[in-house]
Amino acid sequence: MSTAVRWPERPDAVQVAGLVIDSIVDGPGIRVAIFCQGCPHHCPGCHNPESWAFAGGTEMTVDALEAAVMGNPLCRGVTFSGGEPFSQAAAFAALGRRLKAKGYEVAAYTGYTFEGLLAAGTAAQKALLETLDVLVDGPFIQARRNLDLRFRGSDNQRILDVPRSLAAGRALWYDGERWTGTR
Ligand code: SF4
């Protein structure tokens, strides 16, 4: 598994491609979605190829991102998306730890698989996994694209309950209607 990271990776700041403070399409409920800059996967058919280059975007500190989340009083969940959040794992792990301690549901998308991250992830990537409630994993595969899927682009991608998966040592699907139901 490639464990490409932003270079030099900063533990206190994320290179951000975009920020949506009232998203309703990046997970259930009203969420703050943080789209990071840089992705090593280059999936054919990617909806966001302008996020691939690691050189672009705007740097935002973990402090500033935390403040942006807390500035939306309706938000109870946060989604790290991309780009590839696991390419900036140290800063996202720091942000995730802070937000989880405040009671936010923390979710992330990744082009890696849960098994790949467990087997070959860096220490920072494993630390990020440990801060997550939900992980939507796997690359976008154009031949398996399905517009009926909720919060996923292709049917190889899985919506995983990360605490249960880490405890079991294997990928376990999120077991609730909020992420996997039809409404
Ligand atoms: S992992 Fe996501 S952002 Fe990266 S190339 Fe694949 S679909 Fe695009």
Side-chain angles (χ1 to χ4, degrees), residues 4-183:
V5 296
R6 169 189 170 212
W7 187 87
E9 189 178 10
R10 275 188 60 179
D12 61 342
V14 174
Q15 205 69 19
V16 171
L19 188 64
V20 180
I21 59 163
D22 53 0
S23 169
I24 56 169
V25 297
D26 298 292
I30 298 173
R31 315 176 70 82
V32 171
I34 301 167
F35 297 89
C36 65
Q37 184 70 35
C39 182
H41 304 297
H42 299 189
C43 309
C46 169
H47 63 295
N48 198 11
E50 55 280 8
S51 72
W52 292 359
F54 281 89
T58 304
E59 191 169 272
M60 287 186 72
T61 63
V62 169
D63 288 346
L65 289 166
E66 180 185 19
V69 172
M70 294 182 66
N72 179 354
L74 300 177
C75 164
R76 298 312 314 151
V78 178
T79 301
F80 304 153
S81 190
E84 173 53 77
F86 281 82
S87 291
Q88 303 189 55
F92 273 123
L95 180 61
R97 271 192 296 274
R98 290 191 198 182
L99 295 173
K100 200 161 172 175
K102 291 187 163 74
Y104 292 94
E105 180 191 61
V106 182
Y109 283 78
T110 183
Y112 297 117
T113 62
F114 177 81
E115 291 84 353
L117 289 167
L118 264 196
T122 64
Q125 288 173 331
K126 290 177 181 174
L128 174 53
L129 267 186
E130 284 167 11
T131 72
L132 298 176
D133 296 298
V134 175
L135 180 72
V136 184
D137 82 335
F140 172 70
I141 298 178
Q142 204 162 14
R144 297 181 64 173
R145 178 173 182 249
N146 183 341
L147 294 175
D148 292 332
L149 297 172
R150 196 175 196 212
F151 306 131
R152 299 181 285 149
S154 55
D155 67 11
N156 61 295
Q157 295 170 318
R158 304 172 295 182
I159 300 178
L160 302 179
D161 181 326
V162 180
R164 284 179 55 234
S165 297
L166 287 174
R170 63 192 173 90
L172 295 173
W173 276 79
Y174 183 87
D175 183 15
E177 286 281 305
R178 289 179 64 251
W179 278 86
T180 56
T182 54
R183 52 207 294 10

